[in-house]
Each structure stands twice: as structure tokens, then as C-alpha cells.
Amino acid sequence: MIFLCCLLYANLVVAQNIKSTVSEKEHFVSGLMKRMTLEEKVGQLWQVAGGFATGPDGSNLGSLKVIAEGRIGSVLNVSGVKNIRKYQEAAMQSRLKIPLIFGMDVIHGFRTGFPIPLGEAASFDLALIQKGARWTGTAAAAAGLNWTFAPMVDIGWDARWGRVLEGAGEDPFYGSQVAVARVKGLQGDNLSNTNTIMACVKHFAGYGAPIAGKDYNSVDMSMGHFANFYMPPYKAAAEAGAATFMSAFNDFNNIPSTANPFLLRKLLKEKWNFKGFVVSDWGSVGELINHRVAADKKEAAIKAISAGLDMEMVSNCYFENLVDLVKEKKVSIKVVDDAVRRILNKKFELGLFEDPFRYCDENREKETVESASSREIARSISERSIVLLKKSDNILPFRKDLNSIALIGPLAKSKKDMCGAWSTANVNNVITLYEAMKNRGVEVNYAEGYDLGNNKIVNYDSTLSAVEKSDVVVVAIGERASESGEMRSKTDISIAAQQQELVSRLIKTGKPVVVLLMCGRPVIFNEVRDKAPNILLTWWLGSEAGPAICNVLWGDYIPSGKLPMTFPRNMGQVPINYQYKSTGRPYPGDWAAKYIDSPVEPAYPFGYGQSYTSFKYSNLKLISDNLGKGVHAKISVDVTNIGQYDGEEVVQLYIRDEAASVTRPVKELKGFKKIKLKKGMTQTVVFDIRDDQLGFYDNNINFVVEKGDFTIMVGGDSENLNKTLFSLK
Ligand code: BGC
């Protein structure tokens, strides 16, 4: 009883505190806004670039003079306490001393580079992903930043689009959970803590589906398609409390996202009750002119601000026109005030009005950035991001007493390429595979094998002599970091022919061969896929790439990653994903949705990844009694580790709606659990079945759950599944 009273009292105090902070914030911001001139208000809506450009028109860097006039609200692309202090000091010279917020694309680690986000998503380990983001946020905040343009939550089915690298892959259910983990990790519990930063959910909306995989291209999709496949991660991230959103470059239903009232006002701000602010993408308000929906900057400003776009990044349509537009009554002051208030609220929540320099502590920066613990986290995420695609001999994991290795391929020695796109990593501190192998004390006979610049086999004689001297061959093939990312769309995602030919030649020598695939997106590599006995997908893993790969090669960590995107077998299959719809003429069959010159099946399905050990699934059961509230059934399955090593498995649950009022996918991931199993052991894994796994969005974006039959599937990837039936009555 006493305990209960204490608890109630404590809750009351917390509730009062929250209330008082809310009213304190409202009170403060309203008071401030009363003192602001229209020019100062418009100033809050402009973000300029500081140190460097991440888009066209890079000469338009922000000036300290304009900041000191109170005409700029935020600066992007500066970091480091010393630099940031300089800009903040300029803001403190302005009449009302409104602090700036500092944003940057910190998307996979800060200075200590983490795996590219797509690679990290292969870990299927949400706690780890959140921990990684927590560390990224802590380090970025220590370097003076209070805002990152992450996470990118765009769903991608098209590996031609180079930005699939920045997301969590193709699946809306998994993508939503990763989005939440990343938002929570970056923002922590309280934005006012000096080790947290604001997340920015991007790119709203549908940016991951550009026609023909061409970055910045138009997007065209039905509302039902958007609601079920692309929208869920944005919604989940908004519900998780993301502080900001970024509008996408693309158009959506014929209206550029940056000026799209349906997306920004109706869906995000009204339906989802989003209280943060929306920033444009780099220059995208100005680009409304290129989209040909605005004749000039003035019209662009009217369209964007009316649609609900609060802050303009880099282009200066608001800066040049909004004051006049309000005076001419073409834009209501209410609309401007709403945008200003949203931005000032966040500055308040960050604690910047209390102390504009609270993120500027040089000691904290020194202690935090590139700390030893950041490298440990980087290594552990990297190990868990690696996917074992093939293992058909007994060479992996390496014996501890292995003497010599022929290490082939320049990617094994490249620090820069391990960092991937949008990297803030300190390149000099990347440990390459070559260095890590040497550190293990094994004899490393390195040969370049092929030239990374033009992908030609070079100095084959020295490659052969390295092979002859060695017990095993490890060959690193793949893409350079500059080949995936923004502006890096490709019409052919194949691994260069000569890299593949080199692997074939190495296999012919008769030595055991392990292929490492280093890349930023799904790639096609059929020659290697057919012939190589062992293939590990290592993406671009960042600062600890070398040690992490070695730990997996030597079995200090048994690989457990699973593919977050389908790997196609040829270009004609792209875009490809596992949750396509049946169609009226489903495959297999003659008059079926298929190709006459290629199998329909991908090279590797979504969710796929092997281990050095193996797992058996049995005893799939539906339990329909003694269920908790809101639970329609439970699914239970026994998973047994039948191999030679302790290992981890991602147990995956897929559901198919057998008959619905609209067309539904052949299967959808609706649950997963990553379990650790000692060899010989069995674990029973149980999933609850609830409304949110059975329902879908109708064409008006209402979530509906329909009664009827569902096929429930459980297994270790999206193709090898045990099945049972469930009826929702
Ligand atoms: C990208 C954004 C990024 C912004 C700022 C743009 O080119 O599309 O994702 O956050 O630049 O660097």
C-alpha cells in the first residue's frame, strides 16, 4: 500500500514536471515570438551550409554576418566544437540572441565509422542497432552537433538506386522497427541531455521508389501501395517521437513532396499529430522551379510554406520572399508563425536557450569522439552485419593454427572504401583486412589481383606466387565506396567481369578459396556465386572492418546476418522483392507471371543468411487457448541447433492473407526473433498474432483487419518456411 502511494505520488510529480516544462516552453516561445520582427521570424526558417556542400550550388555557404543579423536559423555541415562555437558566437551577436541548431548527415557512426546502414540492418538485432545509434548520437553531440539527417527510412526494392545503402532494405515491417530503433538511439530519452541529438526522418515520402532506379527521378504509386509498403516506417518513426522530418526530392501524386500539402500537412502534421518541424532537402524548395510547379522563387516559397514545409535548406526562396509575401497577404502570418514556433520549440527542448554553448565542451569532445568503446561497438555491429551467403567446404571457420593466407584484392587494403558513402569516419584510423590479418600473426601473402580503377586483372604471376605460398586464399571483390550512395544509380549492378574471372582462376588453382563481397547494395555475381565454395557478404563495415571480418573468418564470431534486401540474379528482375502479389496468373504455371529467359527466383531471398552451424525447424503449432488481451493466437516452433557450433538464428514469421477485399502480398514478414542456441540445443520460439500483423491499409489509408484465413509461415529466410493455417473469426 505504502509502495503504491509512493508510486502514485512519483507519477504525479513526473506528470506535473512534464506539464510545467510544456507550459514553460509555450510561455517562453510565445514571449519570444512576440518580440520577433517578421524578418527575424523568416530568418529562423532558413538553413545554410557551413563547411562544405552536399548538393549543387555549393558556393552558397552561410555567412557569419547574416547569422549575426538574426536572419539564419540553422547551419548544416559544420562539426567540431571549435567550428560550431564560431557560428554560435555569431548568432549570439544578433538582437534576440536566438541560438542556431547544427545539423549534419551523421548516419553510421561519427569519426569511428560503423557499417553502412543497410549492412547494419542485416544484423536483425534491434537492440544493437539502437545502441549503435545511441553511440552515434553521443559522439556527434560531443562534437557540437544537435541534429542529424537520419535515419533514412525509405523502403528500397530497386538496387539500381544507390541510396538503398542508407536504409534498412526492402521490408516495411522490419524497416519500421529499425527506424524506431534508430530514432530512439539518436534522441535518447531527453533531447535536453548533452549526449542526444535530434533525428530527422527522411525522405518523406516515397523517395526509395524512383522510376527506373534513377536517383531524384519521379515517383508514381497508388495510395494503397504507398500506405502498405512505403509509409509504415515514416509513421513508426513519427510515433517514436522523431523531432524532425525531411521532405523528399521526388514528386508524389504529381506534386513535389516539398510542396505537398497532403504529405506534410494532412498526413504528417494532422493525421499523425507530428509536433516537430519539417526541413526541405538540399535546395529542394528552389527546385520546385525545375519541377515546373513554380514559375519563380516567390511562387516556390508560397507553395512550400503553405504545404507545411517549415525550414528551407540552402536555397533562399523563403529568405528572399517570405517577408514580402506576408506583407502582400499572399502567405498568412499564421502559417509562418506555426513554422517558427515548431523550430523554436525544438531549440528550447535542446536546452539551447538555457545555454547556447552546452554542446560545445572541448573536453567532452576529446573523451568521447573515437573512444575505445566506440571501436568496440563498431566491431560488434560489424561482425553481426556480415552475411554468410555460401559455405560448401570445411575451410570456414579457419583453424587457429592456420599458417598462411593469400590475400587478394585492393579492397582488402583500402581504408577509404571501407567507410562507404556519407561517412564521417576518420579514414586514417580504419583497420583494413590486410592490417587485421597481420595483427593476428598469420603469414599474409598479399597480391593486388585486379586494378580497382578499371577492374582489370593485373600482375597475375604475383597473384599466383602468393597463392602457391599459402594454405588458403581470401579474395576481396566488390564496389568502391564511390559506387553506391546518393547520385550513384547504376543500370548494371553486376560485379565487374574481370573481378569474377579472377575468382574463377583462383578456384582453379585448387587452393581453398573464401570470397569476400564488399559492396553498398545488392549486386549480381553469378559466376562467383556458382563456382566459389565460400562467400561472405561484408558490405562496407567502417573503422573496424578488418578486425570484424577476421573474427568471422576465424570463428570468434559465428556469422548470423540475414539479407535485408533480395539479391537478384539478373538486371531484368530489378526491382525485385519477396512480398510481391500473387496476380491473377501466379507463378508457377505456363500462363504465369514469369520470364522466358530467366528464372523468377532471386539469387538470394530476403531474410537469407547461413551460419557455420545449422538450424532445424520443427513442430510448428498454433495455440488458440489461454491467450492474452488482443492476442488472437500464438505460433510456436522448435528451433534446434544441429550443427557443430554455438550460433545465432533470426527466426522469421511471415503471414499471407488468403482472401481480402484488396490484393495482398504472397507473404509479409510480421515478426522475428534473434536467438542464441548452443550446439545440440532446442528452443521453442513463440510469436503472438495480433491485429497489427493481420491487417492492412485500405486505399484511403485506413487500417483494417478482415476476418478469414491466413497462412502462417515460420523459417530462417523468406523462402524456406514451415506453414500452418489460422482463421480469424
Ligand atoms: C540528401 C539528404 C541530405 C542533405 C544534406 C541531400 O542531398 O538528399 O539526404 O541530408 O543532402 O546533406
Side-chain angles (χ1 to χ4, degrees):
M1 185 63 191
I2 295 177
F3 171 74
L4 198 69
C5 287
C6 293
L7 201 72
L8 285 175
Y9 177 72
N11 283 344
L12 201 72
V13 172
V14 172
Q16 271 170 355
N17 282 347
I18 292 174
K19 230 171 128 197
S20 81
T21 338
V22 169
S23 60
E24 206 185 305
K25 178 172 77 184
E26 274 170 16
H27 183 74
F28 178 88
V29 169
S30 301
L32 179 60
M33 284 179 62
K34 277 193 196 123
R35 291 158 56 216
M36 290 170 82
T37 62
L38 182 54
E39 283 76 6
E40 284 164 340
K41 285 180 176 173
V42 170
Q44 286 304 305
L45 311 187
W46 195 25
Q47 183 185 53
V48 297
F52 54 92
T54 39
D57 200 8
S59 57
N60 194 9
L61 298 181
S63 102
L64 293 175
K65 186 171 160 283
V66 187
I67 291 173
E69 286 164 5
R71 307 286 308 275
I72 289 174
S74 170
V75 173
L76 83 153
N77 294 350
V78 271
S79 71
V81 164
K82 222 166 125 209
N83 292 331
I84 284 187
R85 188 178 281 280
K86 195 173 73 190
Y87 284 90
Q88 198 67 297
E89 273 165 359
M92 287 307 108
Q93 287 164 30
S94 65
R95 191 178 74 90
L96 292 172
K97 302 193 187 331
I98 300 177
L100 297 164
I101 32 180
F102 295 91
M104 201 164 119
D105 297 272
V106 183
I107 76 164
H108 49 121
F110 184 77
R111 299 294 178 245
T112 298
F114 290 1
I116 53 165
L118 183 66
E120 186 191 58
S123 69
F124 277 77
D125 186 333
L126 296 170
L128 188 75
I129 291 172
Q130 183 163 338
K131 193 168 162 192
R134 186 73 292 277
W135 194 90
T136 299
T138 302
L145 292 162
N146 19 57
W147 188 17
T148 177
F149 306 121
M152 186 191 98
V153 307
D154 302 316
I155 294 299
W157 295 357
D158 192 332
R160 289 173 296 184
W161 187 54
R163 297 196 82 168
V164 292
L165 160 153
E166 291 174 51
E170 73 185 43
D171 185 65
F173 172 84
Y174 182 51
S176 300
Q177 303 197 27
V178 174
V180 170
R182 288 182 173 152
V183 167
K184 286 190 173 163
L186 292 164
Q187 297 194 163
D189 297 330
N190 186 341
L191 277 185
S192 76
N193 292 341
T194 50
N195 65 351
T196 58
I197 56 176
M198 297 195 294
C200 182
V201 178
K202 67 189 192 185
H203 304 83
F204 194 57
Y207 184 46
I211 293 172
K214 197 166 60 173
D215 204 6
Y216 314 130
N217 207 7
S218 235
V219 166
D220 191 11
M221 61 173 82
S222 68
M223 210 44 99
H225 191 76
F226 169 66
N228 287 293
F229 297 123
Y230 287 84
M231 185 189 77
Y234 304 116
K235 181 167 183 283
E239 284 166 1
T244 69
F245 261 61
M246 183 184 289
S247 70
F249 284 126
N250 56 278
D251 62 341
F252 183 91
N253 204 13
N254 297 336
I255 300 184
S257 305
T258 297
N260 194 312
F262 165 74
L263 287 177
L264 306 185
R265 272 212 201 284
K266 250 186 120 177
L267 191 59
L268 180 63
K269 291 182 173 174
E270 286 168 24
K271 199 162 177 165
W272 299 346
N273 199 22
F274 172 70
K275 296 285 178 227
F277 69 86
V278 182
V279 64
S280 77
D281 204 341
W282 178 286
S284 70
V285 178
E287 287 173 12
L288 294 175
I289 300 168
N290 296 344
H291 274 286
R292 298 182 189 281
V293 298
D296 52 26
K297 285 184 180 179
K298 202 164 182 176
E299 199 180 347
I302 300 179
K303 290 205 161 169
I305 192 91
S306 311
L309 192 283
D310 303 306
M311 182 181 278
E312 178 177 6
M313 183 190 287
V314 178
S315 55
N316 52 13
C317 307
Y318 284 10
F319 180 76
E320 286 181 0
N321 299 294
L322 263 188
V323 170
D324 289 346
L325 284 169
V326 172
K327 287 183 181 156
E328 292 161 12
K329 300 215 174 335
K330 290 193 175 131
V331 168
S332 146
I333 184 66
K334 277 200 189 137
V335 169
V336 173
D337 277 352
D338 177 59
V340 175
R341 183 180 296 280
R342 286 168 180 272
I343 293 163
L344 294 179
N345 278 344
K346 290 301 160 201
K347 293 188 175 183
F348 185 94
E349 287 169 32
L350 287 164
L352 287 169
F353 288 111
E354 223 171 84
D355 176 7
F357 298 100
R358 64 206 310 266
Y359 295 86
C360 295
D361 178 334
E362 254 138 355
N363 287 333
R364 188 166 61 227
E365 183 176 34
K366 247 185 243 138
E367 279 160 21
T368 313
V369 176
E370 288 197 71
S371 64
S373 53
S374 73
R375 300 210 59 122
E376 263 168 47
I377 294 169
R379 195 166 54 248
S380 124
I381 301 178
S382 298
E383 290 163 1
R384 285 153 182 81
S385 304
I386 294 172
V387 185
L388 177 63
L389 293 177
K390 189 172 176 189
K391 174 174 159 21
S392 60
D393 63 20
N394 282 328
I395 201 71
L396 285 172
F398 289 160
R399 297 186 328 260
K400 298 284 176 210
D401 60 353
L402 185 79
N403 285 323
S404 53
I405 296 177
L407 180 61
I408 316 294
L411 286 167
K413 267 195 172 183
S414 167
K415 290 179 185 279
K416 191 159 183 287
D417 291 303
M418 290 309 99
C419 297
W422 289 115
S423 172
T424 60
N426 177 350
V427 178
N428 295 329
N429 288 348
V430 171
I431 305 175
T432 63
L433 179 57
Y434 173 77
E435 289 164 341
M437 274 189 178
K438 287 231 152 194
N439 292 344
R440 276 188 103 94
V442 66
E443 180 188 318
V444 183
N445 301 308
Y446 174 79
E448 196 183 1
Y450 61 94
D451 175 306
L452 200 46
N454 57 25
N455 287 312
K456 291 270 178 310
I457 295 174
V458 290
N459 304 328
Y460 191 60
D461 289 348
S462 59
T463 302
L464 269 187
S465 76
V467 171
E468 272 157 23
K469 281 188 268 175
S470 309
D471 297 335
V472 297
V473 179
V474 173
V475 51
I477 59 170
E479 297 183 305
R480 309 206 71 167
S482 53
E483 287 183 69
S484 282
E486 185 175 353
M487 282 197 306
R488 308 283 188 231
S489 290
K490 281 181 172 178
T491 57
D492 188 356
I493 54 171
S494 303
I495 295 297
Q498 291 240 326
Q499 289 191 24
Q500 298 203 58
E501 192 192 318
L502 176 67
V503 175
S504 298
R505 287 201 209 170
L506 292 169
I507 293 164
K508 270 203 195 126
T509 64
K511 285 276 162 79
V513 172
V514 177
V515 176
L516 304 178
L517 194 55
M518 301 179 168
C519 53
R521 53 154 72 118
V523 287
I524 296 165
F525 53 106
N526 293 330
E527 185 176 337
V528 172
R529 192 164 64 89
D530 291 345
K531 293 186 185 158
N534 302 290
I535 308 171
L536 282 161
L537 170 63
T538 69
W539 314 99
W540 296 318
L541 294 174
S543 305
E544 287 285 318
I549 295 171
C550 284
N551 286 351
V552 167
L553 288 174
W554 270 270
D556 300 332
Y557 181 77
I558 306 293
S560 64
K562 300 277 187 175
L563 294 178
M565 271 187 91
T566 304
F567 271 48
R569 61 172 76 216
N570 58 48
M571 284 310 301
Q573 291 182 320
V574 178
I576 184 169
N577 72 330
Y578 81 92
Q579 53 174 280
Y580 53 86
K581 294 181 178 177
S582 298
T583 81
R585 295 190 171 184
Y587 175 80
D590 282 341
W591 299 86
K594 62 176 186 184
Y595 301 107
I596 57 166
D597 60 348
S598 160
V600 164
E601 290 78 16
Y604 298 106
F606 173 84
Y608 171 85
Q610 296 191 21
S611 167
Y612 295 156
T613 192
S614 31
F615 299 97
K616 196 181 108 214
Y617 286 74
S618 61
N619 208 12
L620 181 65
K621 270 193 313 218
L622 185 76
I623 304 166
S624 33
D625 47 5
N626 284 331
L627 307 170
K629 197 169 165 250
V631 180
H632 298 301
K634 282 181 189 284
I635 294 296
S636 123
V637 69
D638 291 344
V639 185
T640 308
N641 182 343
I642 54 169
Q644 297 310 309
Y645 301 90
D646 300 347
E648 290 167 64
E649 170 71 328
V650 181
V651 182
Q652 301 163 41
L653 167 81
Y654 295 84
I655 298 183
R656 173 171 55 236
D657 192 342
E658 290 300 341
S661 56
V662 297
T663 55
R664 305 282 296 121
V666 290
K667 65 187 88 152
E668 294 172 288
L669 182 74
K670 288 297 175 188
F672 67 90
K673 286 189 179 160
K674 189 164 188 173
I675 58 166
K676 281 189 184 155
L677 261 190
K678 294 215 178 296
K679 62 178 172 186
M681 300 301 285
T682 298
Q683 185 175 329
T684 303
V685 177
V686 179
F687 294 98
D688 288 349
I689 305 291
R690 298 169 178 275
D691 278 353
D692 57 319
Q693 292 147 301
L694 302 174
F696 58 88
Y697 288 97
D698 67 14
N699 293 342
N700 298 315
I701 322 195
N702 297 313
F703 193 75
V704 292
V705 182
E706 293 178 350
K707 298 202 161 58
D709 291 343
F710 296 84
T711 300
I712 309 281
M713 297 161 259
V714 179
D717 66 57
S718 61
E719 272 182 11
N720 295 297
L721 296 162
N722 295 1
K723 295 180 186 156
T724 187
L725 264 184
F726 161 71
S727 298
L728 182 67
K729 303 216 161 81

